[in-house]
Every structure is written in C-alpha cells, then in structure tokens.
Amino acid sequence: MSESALNRILQPGAITPVYQPVFRVSNGKKEIHGVECLSRGPRGTNFESAEVLFEYVRLKREESLVDRACIAAAFRGASALPTTLRLGINVHASTLGRDHGFIAFLQSTAAATGIAAQRIVIEIVEHAPPWTTSVSSRRSNSSASSAWPSPSMTSASGNRTSKCCSTCGPTT
Amino acid sequence: MRLPGTREERILIVDDEELIVLAMRKYFEGLGYTVDSAHELEEAQALLTTRRYDLVIADLRLTGIGGVEGLQIVSDIHQRHGDTRVILLSAYGTPEIERESYNRGADAFLHKPKSMMEIANVAVTLLAER
C-alpha cells in the first residue's frame, strides 16, 4: 500500500509557498501593499495544484494540520520579503472553529520567523458552515483580548468559497 | 494492437497498489490516453471535483479487508459526471457487491485477474459508446 498522501503533503519542504502581490492604487499611483501567501503541494504530484490539494485536505477533514503547515512555510519564506509588506494568509473557517491552539501557533510561528503581528492579514476561507454562534462569540472575545480588531465581513468572489479578512494588530 | 486513444481522452486510475497504478498508467499512456492516478478515496474524490474524466478505472478495495471504497467512487461519479464511464476491478467481489456497483452506475465490473489488454478492450468499448 502506498504512503498516505497526507503524510507526503506534511513532509518537510513538501509545501512550496508562493507570494501574489497586492497593490494599492490611489490617485493614479500604484504601490505594493502586501502579498497573499499561497501554497503548492508536493511537486510532480496531484497535490501540486492548490485546488486538488485543498479539496483533498477538506475531504480528509485535516484543514487545521495543513493550514498550519502552509502558514509555517509561508512565514519562513516571507523572511526574504521587505518587512513593510502585509502578509495575507488563507485559513479555513473550520480551523478557527476547531483548532483551539491555532492562534497561539500563529503568534509563536510569527515570532519565530520575525514576522510582526501587525503585518498579518487572515483571510478566512469558508467551504462549510464555518462556526456556531457560541464559537463565534468566543473567537471575537479572544480577538479583543489579544488586541485584534473584530473581523470585518468582506464578500469575495469564488464559486464555492467566501472570504472575510481580519488584520492582526491595530489597523493603520 | 493500436487502440484509438486520443490525447483529449482522460483516464483516472484509482488503486492503492503503486505497482498496479504504474503498470496501468504506462499501458494506457502508451495507447495515447492522458492518465491521472490516485491511491486513496479522498485523493480520487479531490481529482473528480476539480477535473473531468472520460473514464475511471478503480479498484473496489482501497483500504484493508472489507473495504469497498470503489462503490463510493461510482456513486460520486454518477452524481457529478453523468458521461464519465466507470470500470470497477476486484479480486473479492461478491454477486451482491457486483449488483450494487451496477445499481450505483458502474459500467463494468471486472473480476481479477484480468490482463491489461482485457481491461483496455473494455475501456475502449466504453469510451466509444459515449
């Protein structure tokens, strides 16, 4: 029997981060505002495609595990980027709802890689009912206590996903 | 025998045995088909969600004794892709499982062992009927 695909995805170095620039356009001028951190699975496999990778991860109900791996890879790679750039990371709503250690992981990983919390923008990816009212309240209270602003709902395009963004740390 | 595969026809092979997948991939690619492969149910499902296949060849059992993940693949395909043909392969199929596979929409249920040519003959026939 072949090795589980999930184990291959979680091998060190298996996830490759890529960074998509985000520009601010104002008064006819454009300047780079930040990057969105995207992930590619193991090269040469079905999971090199992000679409296949994350569909597989959702079917296995291992969103939290892979979200963490993707973020760790993204933050490690981002150390080569200018420190003024915002870093947008995609996080499944189910990860926020079920992984109670996720925020602590995010904070410690950012600190370990020299990423200031204020640079991080969490883009919540929703594929299933993301959270219950009680969980939502708990997360909002937790965010307030760690100086994170309440998330603002921003509708986003996508056949099956919607996103809302929350910026870590004070907004400018 | 040169079979009329075209580069536009895409086949998905699903089997947990790496050697079987490699052998089948090599054989069907040699016939001119574009081939993807998966080793477990969720991997196959992820591919079926994101890509379109003309034919799926799946082993009935992908995990351990008693597994019948192939039946789930047949159901998924039948629900999403009405024109995708499905061949199930099994060394353990009972008449009840074979009947169930057809009920779910399988186009062929082949009892192992079968040669590559026998499987390919069924595949080509099914693709020609589409």
Side-chain angles (χ1 to χ4, degrees), chain A residues 133-157:
Chain A
T133 303
S134 60
V135 172
S136 175
S137 297
R138 186 173 73 240
R139 291 292 172 212
S140 294
N141 290 339
S142 172
S143 296
S145 69
S146 58
W148 287 10
S150 298
S152 57
M153 298 301 294
T154 307
S155 64
S157 62

Side-chain angles (χ1 to χ4, degrees), chain A residues 9-131:
Chain A
I9 288 166
L10 294 173
Q11 290 291 317
I15 292 176
T16 302
V18 292
Y19 303 91
Q20 182 166 279
V22 177
F23 288 91
R24 173 191 285 130
V25 180
S26 174
N27 296 327
K29 288 171 51 179
K30 66 173 188 284
E31 59 180 352
I32 189 163
H33 173 73
V35 294
E36 180 178 359
C37 304
L38 304 171
S39 299
R40 301 290 178 263
R43 287 204 176 99
T45 72
N46 292 325
F47 305 105
E48 186 168 0
S49 156
E51 202 176 5
V52 176
L53 170 65
F54 289 107
E55 183 66 24
Y56 171 78
V57 167
R58 286 186 283 267
L59 286 166
K60 296 289 275 188
R61 294 184 160 272
E62 295 286 5
E63 298 96 320
S64 169
L65 212 56
V66 178
D67 279 352
R68 286 183 177 223
C70 290
I71 288 166
F75 282 5
R76 280 195 299 271
S79 60
L81 297 173
T83 56
T84 53
L85 293 181
R86 297 279 179 127
L87 300 176
I89 55 173
N90 292 292
V91 180
H92 286 90
S94 54
T95 293
L96 294 177
R98 295 180 206 148
D99 184 348
H100 298 166
F102 178 76
I103 301 300
F105 157 81
L106 189 62
Q107 291 172 324
S108 64
T109 304
T113 51
I115 306 289
Q118 293 89 332
R119 293 175 59 193
I120 301 170
V121 178
I122 299 173
E123 301 190 22
I124 303 171
V125 179
E126 176 186 354
H127 273 257
W131 48 61

Side-chain angles (χ1 to χ4, degrees), chain B residues 100-118:
Chain B
E100 178 63 19
S101 72
Y102 285 119
N103 287 341
R104 292 191 185 207
D107 297 282
F109 189 101
L110 303 180
H111 294 269
K112 292 179 181 178
K114 281 281 187 287
S115 68
M116 287 294 177
M117 184 164 282
E118 287 175 292

Side-chain angles (χ1 to χ4, degrees), chain B residues 21-35:
Chain B
V21 168
L22 284 172
M24 292 186 72
R25 173 189 278 276
K26 192 172 178 182
Y27 190 87
F28 281 97
E29 283 178 343
L31 295 176
Y33 295 98
T34 300
V35 180

Side-chain angles (χ1 to χ4, degrees), chain A residues 1-6 8 45-47 49 51-53 55-56 59-60 160, chain B residues 16-18 36-40 42-43 45-47 49-51 62-64:
Chain A
M1 187 171 297
S2 64
E3 180 190 12
S4 161
L6 188 63
R8 279 185 271 132
T45 72
N46 292 325
F47 305 105
S49 156
E51 202 176 5
V52 176
L53 170 65
E55 183 66 24
Y56 171 78
L59 286 166
K60 296 289 275 188
R160 296 166 54 203
Chain B
D16 62 327
E17 294 290 341
E18 182 73 30
D36 286 340
S37 61
H39 298 89
E40 53 184 284
E42 292 85 358
E43 187 178 5
Q45 288 173 320
L47 287 170
T49 300
T50 55
R51 298 173 190 174
L62 297 175
T63 57

